[in-house]
Amino acid sequence: MNGILKDFLKNRQFVFFTVLIILIVMTTVLAPVIVPYDPYEAVLKDARLAPGPDHLFGTDKLGRDLFSRVIYGARVSLPATLSLVGLVFFVGVLLGIISGFYGGMVDAVIMRLADMMVSFPGMVLAMAVAGIMGASIRNAVIAISLVTWPKYARMARSIVLKVKNEDYMAAARIVGGRDLHIMIKYLFPIVAPTLVITAATDIGGMMLELAGLSYLGFGAVSPMAEWGLMLSEGRPYMSACPWMMIYPGLAIFIVVVIFNFWGDALRDVLDPRQQ
Amino acid sequence: MDLKEFLRRIGQIIIVLIGVSFFTFLLVQLAPGDPVMTMYQSMGIIPTEEVLNETREAMGLNDPFFVQYFRWLANVLKGDLGMSYSKYRPVASLLAGRMWPTLKLSISSMFVMLLFAVPLGMISAVYSNKPIDYIVRGITFFGVSMPNFWVGLLLLYFLAMKLNLLPVISTDPNALSNLVLPTLTLAFAMTAKYTRQVRTAVLEELHKDYVIGAKGRGESERAILFKHVFPNSLLPLVTMFGLSLGSLLGGTSVVEVIFTYPGLGSLAIDAIKAMDYPLIQGYVLWISLIYMAVNLAVDISYNFIDPRIKGEGKA
């Protein structure tokens, strides 16, 4: 265990981006203390102010402080993205292990379902699902998980198939191990590392997809301080007030870059073959 | 791919299409909104309960779920995708009208992407772990982290509003300039993604034994790269580009909305917002069909690119 920890600490890229992620998380948690204004308070006489000493990032069409809203945006995006990744991981791994372990009919049903989900463009279905169920962050999360789980299930299944017939699996059965016990105790630890790496490298991309749905109006709803939504609200004013679209976009970009670099470094540490 | 395999694939496509249409139909039934109400509201009418009910009855919306689904399916088989609730026109003709703009946009952005991704990826692989490789990889890393709607807005702001190189909103719907910004936006993200893939493919090919052999025989570096390595690394790339064309056709929505580009994607967004069920169903079915057809075409093209694959799986 000590060895792994050393590997982590030795990788400077990993340490650097982990620190940045901790900073992002702290900003998210401490947002109410950090922000100078209430992100939801409309002060109409201050509408559309350019960035200046009073308002670092300027104000939006309702006179809300953009800096405060951008900081608060992390409180929406971060938990939503992490629960999305968690949900996809859980569903994908669960179905993948079940599929690989039992084989036969169960496998056929799960895998045909997965085939169906990946045989057409995911974003189309995600849009349709999120749109039809009604715009909300929760529905956007459900919509994207619905089209993303097959990737995880297929990976988990293929790993299970590889080890299913090993001697220790037979041994576990002979001594009377129940299915559930075998799946949790033996299969999950084998499947987990690869899938955790995949999930870590997917965080950035999923954040972009969520913001994209919000931009289109299928995710966050007004007046929520969400980056994608803020961009689409700033769109009509972009010629005169470009700050309305520059700062929320920059926020998404920076957070996604950090998560992407972090995921990449995590993969390097956990899976040296990839280097 | 032989005839049997081809027919099997066609069968699979039909099954998936039925599954997809069933799923969207189910979803629509579970949806909270009321399409009839939305329809009247979009006409500026506030209907009475009786009118609502009569219209529902006339549209067959009061029938049981399976009756509705099979009626729709039977009509689809006859080539009738139904009438759009919000645009009062047949769904099939709406989709057909928007097909060409989206196809044009997809092909042009694929073309721009190839123009950059292939050379950049090759250079990056040939000079791997040299400064130029780090620069290319660094840029692509930032590229994949930028939301495409933001890239679109930035391009719109700087190229159209600040530098006046392009019209912000064009008066001529067929003008070529309409295509420039959406194409650049789509190509930007794709270039970032595919440059890395091209690099990986070429790098893998470079490490094969025959390259060492050719070097040993004294063939020039240049000849090895252009005669062997690049052509050989094309094969995995063809699949990738094929898949990307398929997902592009379905994935242009965001960009189409930003630039008010009259394609399938913006049509779909309008349909979803208006709860226009026949149009949503028609769109999902149509896009799925195209996507799978493109994938099939890519697989068939293998036969021509790589004759080895023909016999595979049979022996």
Side-chain angles (χ1 to χ4, degrees):
Chain A
M1 205 58 207
N2 224 338
I4 293 181
L5 198 67
K6 255 190 208 149
D7 284 345
F8 275 119
L9 291 176
K10 235 173 33 193
N11 187 313
R12 267 182 296 170
Q13 189 189 343
F14 182 79
V15 174
F16 179 68
F17 287 103
T18 306
V19 170
L20 288 184
I21 286 180
I22 293 172
L23 280 178
I24 294 175
V25 172
M26 276 170 60
T27 317
T28 311
V29 175
L30 298 176
V33 190
I34 298 171
V35 298
Y37 297 92
D38 178 350
Y40 292 106
E41 197 197 333
V43 184
L44 285 171
K45 69 174 175 55
D46 290 344
R48 302 200 288 271
L49 288 180
D54 282 347
H55 297 279
L56 211 52
F57 290 176
T59 60
D60 69 2
K61 61 174 175 180
L62 295 176
R64 295 173 295 197
D65 179 52
L66 217 55
F67 176 73
S68 307
R69 286 179 71 74
V70 167
I71 296 286
Y72 258 73
R75 289 173 83 93
V76 180
S77 284
L78 225 53
T81 307
L82 294 181
S83 47
L84 169 62
V85 174
L87 187 62
V88 170
F89 181 86
F90 176 76
V91 174
V93 168
L94 183 75
L95 291 179
I97 290 181
I98 290 177
S99 195
F101 183 76
Y102 288 108
M105 230 1 235
V106 179
D107 183 35
V109 171
I110 295 177
M111 281 303 119
R112 287 301 79 74
L113 214 61
D115 285 348
M116 205 179 91
M117 288 298 188
V118 291
S119 44
F120 56 96
M123 206 54 188
V124 171
L125 186 71
M127 266 165 25
V129 173
I132 292 171
M133 290 198 310
S136 76
I137 289 279
R138 194 198 59 181
N139 288 349
V141 167
I142 295 174
I144 298 176
S145 358
L146 211 58
V147 295
T148 321
W149 70 267
K151 174 178 161 190
Y152 286 71
R154 285 177 160 191
M155 282 171 112
R157 174 178 177 269
S158 74
I159 297 171
V160 169
L161 287 183
K162 256 187 232 159
V163 300
K164 197 169 136 186
N165 297 320
E166 300 267 333
D167 288 345
Y168 67 89
M169 290 295 297
R173 271 176 214 255
I174 289 167
V175 297
R178 285 170 201 279
D179 289 358
L180 190 66
H181 175 76
I182 294 176
M183 283 192 262
I184 294 173
K185 191 89 194 275
Y186 300 103
L187 291 176
F188 180 71
I190 294 168
V191 169
T194 316
L195 274 289
V196 166
I197 294 172
T198 311
T201 47
D202 276 353
I203 294 176
M206 295 215 194
M207 189 172 275
L208 289 181
E209 282 183 23
L210 269 176
L213 281 185
S214 287
Y215 180 87
L216 290 174
F218 300 133
V221 275
S222 195
M224 192 181 258
E226 198 275 345
W227 296 325
L229 181 65
M230 286 160 74
L231 274 170
S232 87
E233 284 174 346
R235 163 82 167 84
Y237 307 95
M238 65 183 279
S239 171
C241 319
W243 56 88
M244 283 190 210
M245 64 111 189
I246 288 179
Y247 294 110
L250 205 58
I252 306 179
F253 173 53
I254 291 172
V255 174
V256 171
V257 162
I258 291 173
F259 272 105
N260 279 347
F261 271 116
W262 178 78
D264 227 39
L266 183 77
R267 186 179 55 203
D268 286 349
V269 177
L270 291 179
D271 188 4
R273 278 170 306 168
Q274 290 265 345
Q275 276 176 346
Chain B
M1 191 182 295
D2 53 17
L3 188 67
K4 206 176 128 196
E5 170 67 11
F6 179 73
L7 291 177
R8 200 184 63 82
R9 286 287 295 272
I10 297 283
Q12 216 173 26
I13 289 179
I14 293 170
I15 293 172
V16 171
L17 285 179
I18 292 175
V20 168
S21 66
F22 185 79
F23 181 72
T24 7
F25 218 92
L26 191 71
L27 203 69
V28 160
Q29 295 288 319
L30 298 173
D34 179 355
V36 179
M37 191 71 185
T38 322
M39 190 173 83
Y40 277 112
Q41 276 169 351
S42 76
M43 292 189 277
I45 303 167
I46 297 168
T48 61
E49 196 55 41
E50 281 157 46
V51 175
L52 278 179
N53 235 330
E54 270 169 33
T55 319
R56 270 192 215 117
E57 192 66 47
M59 289 162 81
L61 290 172
N62 284 342
D63 293 336
F65 172 72
F66 280 100
V67 174
Q68 287 193 45
Y69 178 68
F70 284 111
R71 185 168 52 216
W72 178 80
L73 198 63
N75 284 334
V76 169
L77 291 178
K78 282 184 267 170
D80 175 13
L81 289 170
M83 285 292 274
S84 154
Y85 292 170
S86 61
K87 304 198 191 276
Y88 320 109
R89 281 180 55 200
V91 170
S93 85
L94 278 170
L95 290 174
R98 297 292 189 100
M99 186 62 205
W100 175 234
T102 293
L103 196 64
K104 207 160 59 174
L105 178 58
S106 303
I107 292 174
S108 67
S109 45
M110 279 273 289
F111 180 75
V112 174
M113 178 271 279
L114 288 174
L115 213 60
F116 287 97
V118 172
L120 283 177
M122 285 174 173
I123 292 171
S124 197
V126 172
Y127 298 101
S128 73
N129 293 324
K130 302 246 166 58
I132 178 100
D133 178 36
Y134 284 122
I135 293 170
V136 171
R137 275 161 70 194
I139 293 172
T140 59
F141 216 98
F142 286 107
V144 293
S145 306
M146 281 171 103
N148 58 358
F149 44 94
W150 192 48
V151 174
L153 292 177
L154 290 177
L155 286 173
L156 190 62
Y157 181 71
F158 287 107
L159 294 185
M161 291 176 179
K162 287 286 130 177
L163 300 173
N164 288 322
L165 292 177
L166 293 157
V168 177
I169 290 167
S170 148
T171 41
D172 174 12
N174 291 317
L176 197 66
S177 58
N178 291 353
L179 206 58
V180 177
L181 286 176
T183 299
L184 286 180
T185 308
L186 283 171
F188 181 82
M190 286 203 305
T191 305
K193 185 174 163 200
Y194 289 110
T195 302
R196 305 171 69 167
Q197 311 241 29
V198 172
R199 178 181 179 272
T200 314
V202 174
L203 215 51
E204 212 162 88
E205 203 62 34
L206 275 173
H207 285 133
K208 288 199 172 149
D209 288 343
Y210 77 87
V211 177
I212 303 169
K215 274 186 193 157
R217 284 194 303 277
E219 277 194 56
S220 76
E221 192 95 6
R222 212 195 166 86
I224 298 173
L225 285 179
F226 285 93
K227 270 200 204 142
H228 308 295
V229 172
F230 292 159
N232 284 344
S233 44
L234 266 180
L235 187 64
L237 296 178
V238 169
T239 333
M240 252 167 40
F241 296 144
L243 288 177
S244 80
L245 181 66
S247 50
L248 247 185
L249 288 171
T252 52
S253 317
V254 177
V255 172
E256 287 184 13
V257 168
I258 293 175
F259 298 105
T260 49
Y261 185 84
L264 278 176
S266 50
L267 180 72
I269 307 275
D270 289 348
I272 295 171
K273 289 200 168 147
M275 294 267 172
D276 190 339
Y277 298 157
L279 192 50
I280 299 173
Q281 274 150 3
Y283 169 78
V284 172
L285 192 73
W286 179 232
I287 287 288
S288 312
L289 176 66
I290 296 176
Y291 184 72
M292 287 186 287
V294 170
N295 284 356
L296 184 61
V298 169
D299 287 353
I300 292 173
S301 72
Y302 271 2
N303 287 351
F304 301 100
I305 303 172
D306 187 355
R308 279 175 309 178
I309 289 175
K310 255 183 200 161
E312 225 165 72
K314 269 198 285 188

